[in-house]
Amino acid sequence: MKTYEKIYQILWEAHDFVSGQDLADQLDVSRTAIWKSMKTLESKGLVIEPIKNRGYRLLLGDLLLPDEITSATGLKVYLNETSASTQEDAKEGIKKGQPSPAIYLAPNQRSARGRFSRPFFSPESGGIYMSLHLQPNLPYDQAPAYTLMVASSIVKAISRLAGIDCQIKWVNDIYLGQKKLAGILTEAISSIETGLITDVIIGIGLNFLVPEFPEDLQDKATSLFTKQAPISRNQLIAEIWNIFQNTPERDLIKVYKEKSLVLDKRVTFVENQLSYTGLATDITDSGQLVVRLDDGQEKVLNSGEISLSSWDY
């Protein structure tokens, strides 16, 4: 572990000022090394308060620590400090033959994309951007409902660690109140020879500690925390994937329905350039949304083809 990472851990656990001399003594390094490490932490988005004769105190932010996440989950973690997209990082890992399951993690993304290749806001610090690579080797009709399972895992993890209640907008968005908190993108790679899904990449973008948003997103997006968080990103990341790995699929699908933002609500969607409105009556175990239209017809919506344009709160 690098010196600045060790300093971060000491400051995180202290919740108060720690003198530069104490840090130097604990880590057996020079005061100059301490000062350089503080500058490194600040460059990574952490806000550290220095006061003469008192030392340093962590005011805002945290540090992504792959080893901590691996220790808590058993998953290999690859951290890319200059990632364009963790989905692309995972695809590159597949090409290199890197083992799975593995998490591809980044502090931010230069070319973040969601469903239908839509761009999304990725601040320099304070977000969680990660992709999980799995190798299921299953036929399409036997593949788990990965997006639903991860959405439920996120909601459960936030509730357990922070006591904050979130909801899920079909099919892949996490909402806090009436604003989007996180999004999920699931991609599958299949083999022509076998017809099996060989690889799945599940990407998550989550606003963890983002105090401010661009003006055009202020009414649409929100952050889990806007001041120093009581938990770290490492803790939340580990909890999400532990829930995902250790909770039966049927239980996560049940949570998905319980936390649905659209079930039993009127929704509007566009299909083949025609707009429809109806009541969302069910979500199937494979993730399809069942809508009873105003004329009595029933529509079964597939997540890969249709996005809701509006829904009642």
Side-chain angles (χ1 to χ4, degrees), residues 34-48:
I34 298 297
W35 181 83
K36 288 182 178 178
S37 293
M38 293 299 174
K39 293 300 179 184
T40 299
L41 291 173
E42 289 175 342
S43 73
K44 295 180 180 296
L46 281 71
V47 179
I48 297 171

Side-chain angles (χ1 to χ4, degrees), residues 63-66 69 77-87 89 103-112 122-131 204-206 233 237:
L63 196 64
L64 293 171
L65 299 174
I69 298 167
V77 181
Y78 299 96
L79 176 64
N80 183 356
E81 297 276 3
T82 58
S83 175
S85 159
T86 60
Q87 293 291 94
D89 292 341
I103 300 171
Y104 292 82
L105 183 64
N108 52 63
Q109 298 182 117
R110 296 193 309 274
S111 304
S122 174
E124 283 298 313
S125 61
I128 292 175
Y129 307 101
M130 59 183 173
S131 296
I204 296 174
L206 187 150
R233 286 179 293 174
I237 290 167

Side-chain angles (χ1 to χ4, degrees), residues 13 15 31 33 63 67 76 80 86 104 124 141 148 190 193 212 217 254-255 265-266 271 306:
E13 293 171 3
H15 302 295
R31 292 291 297 273
L63 196 64
D67 290 346
K76 175 66 177 176
N80 183 356
T86 60
Y104 292 82
E124 283 298 313
D141 59 1
L148 276 66
S190 61
E193 288 89 357
E212 294 183 344
L217 292 178
K254 181 182 177 183
V255 170
K265 304 284 181 64
R266 288 182 60 78
E271 182 181 50
I306 292 173

Side-chain angles (χ1 to χ4, degrees), residues 21-168:
Q21 190 60 55
D22 283 346
L23 290 169
D25 291 343
Q26 286 188 57
L27 302 178
D28 194 24
V29 297
S30 68
R31 292 291 297 273
T32 300
I34 298 297
W35 181 83
K36 288 182 178 178
S37 293
M38 293 299 174
K39 293 300 179 184
T40 299
L41 291 173
E42 289 175 342
S43 73
K44 295 180 180 296
L46 281 71
V47 179
I48 297 171
E49 179 183 20
I51 293 185
K52 190 174 182 180
N53 299 324
R54 295 194 69 186
Y56 302 93
R57 180 174 64 170
L58 177 62
L59 291 183
L60 192 68
D62 65 4
L63 196 64
L64 293 171
L65 299 174
D67 290 346
E68 185 175 311
I69 298 167
T70 294
S71 177
T73 63
L75 296 169
K76 175 66 177 176
V77 181
Y78 299 96
L79 176 64
N80 183 356
E81 297 276 3
T82 58
S83 175
S85 159
T86 60
Q87 293 291 94
E88 294 304 317
D89 292 341
K91 291 173 186 176
E92 189 62 30
I94 292 171
K95 290 180 183 178
K96 293 178 179 177
Q98 292 175 171
S100 72
I103 300 171
Y104 292 82
L105 183 64
N108 52 63
Q109 298 182 117
R110 296 193 309 274
S111 304
R113 290 288 184 272
R115 288 178 69 220
F116 308 115
S117 296
R118 295 169 179 153
F120 67 83
F121 173 62
S122 174
E124 283 298 313
S125 61
I128 292 175
Y129 307 101
M130 59 183 173
S131 296
L132 178 70
H133 171 221
L134 301 172
Q135 292 180 303
N137 286 310
L138 290 171
Y140 271 96
D141 59 1
Q142 294 180 23
Y146 290 116
T147 300
L148 276 66
M149 293 172 67
V150 170
S152 296
S153 298
I154 293 171
V155 168
K156 281 176 67 68
I158 291 172
S159 178
R160 281 186 188 177
L161 295 183
I164 297 173
D165 186 37
C166 299
Q167 292 182 293
I168 305 167

